[in-house]
Amino acid sequence: MAYLRSFLPWIAVSALIGSIDIRYALLAGFALAVVLAAGQRRAGRAWDALVIEVSAGAYFAVATAAAFAAPGSDTVAHYASAGASLWLALVAWGSIVIGRPFTLGIAKTQVPEELWGNPVFKRVNVVISAVWAASFTVSGIGTAWLRHARPEDGTARTVLTVVCLVLPILFTVRYPEIARSRAATAAAAARNGADK
């Protein structure tokens, strides 16, 4: 559940928004992101396995500065959650575009090094990163729309956020095994075809 740990700053801010001043909720997210990234680096984790933590630190630094610069502004308070999801979408899509899917660094901590160059391993991470990116995009756009169209409906925003977190987690857990099984079946079929 390395993914869940990576999202702790985002989860903490989501839980704190509405119960404490937005400035301090965002500041808490920033502090938690820095502490998590620093702790993981001390434990020997590579930077490419900390994409979510580092992006959280960057997002919450900017959002916190904006919230403190305009303390009476409803914009930051109303759209911080949507902005967070859209920022994560940008990071995830960007990581795919540059050929370094953000899940790759995390996955490398969970599989033997001899598999890192395997095309199936790389493809699985592209697909998983794309699912996360799509989920972040839906969450960000949906949350912004709900905030605008139904500003008092916090329940709908919460449900959307939870669904857009749980579905990619479930996909991340199950998809690698499905992909390995498909690859093994395709390899066996190729061997059988070559033997004939």
Side-chain angles (χ1 to χ4, degrees):
M1 292 270 75
Y3 288 102
L4 198 52
R5 180 185 56 233
S6 297
F7 288 107
L8 281 177
W10 308 95
I11 293 167
V13 171
S14 293
L16 291 172
I17 288 178
S19 55
I20 67 170
D21 185 305
I22 185 73
R23 296 172 296 175
Y24 300 108
L26 294 169
L27 185 59
F30 172 71
L32 188 53
V34 169
V35 166
L36 280 173
Q40 291 299 309
R41 285 295 294 160
R42 275 195 302 277
R45 194 165 261 216
W47 283 112
D48 67 344
L50 300 173
V51 172
I52 297 299
E53 292 88 338
V54 170
S55 67
Y59 176 80
F60 289 125
V62 171
T64 301
F68 275 97
S73 171
D74 286 341
T75 303
V76 174
H78 288 173
Y79 294 100
S81 292
S85 293
L86 292 172
W87 171 255
L88 284 168
L90 181 66
V91 168
W93 288 120
S95 75
I96 294 168
V97 168
I98 65 169
R100 304 271 312 155
F102 81 93
T103 59
L104 197 58
I106 298 167
K108 285 180 177 179
T109 68
Q110 300 169 354
V111 300
E113 190 171 348
E114 59 267 14
L115 296 178
W116 294 359
N118 184 305
V120 173
F121 177 71
K122 289 180 178 179
R123 180 70 189 144
V124 163
N125 279 280
V126 169
V127 171
I128 290 173
S129 292
V131 167
W132 278 100
S135 184
F136 295 145
T137 304
V138 168
S139 179
I141 292 170
T143 301
W145 180 83
L146 285 169
R147 174 52 88 174
H148 178 74
R150 299 170 62 182
E152 303 306 319
D153 193 354
T155 302
R157 289 190 307 274
T158 300
V159 167
L160 178 63
T161 300
V162 169
V163 167
C164 287
L165 184 62
V166 170
L167 289 179
I169 287 173
L170 294 174
F171 184 82
T172 300
V173 169
R174 296 193 43 94
Y175 182 69
E177 186 55 43
I178 292 168
R180 278 191 293 273
S181 176
R182 287 180 184 163
T185 300
R191 278 193 306 273
N192 289 339
D195 291 342
K196 291 182 180 180

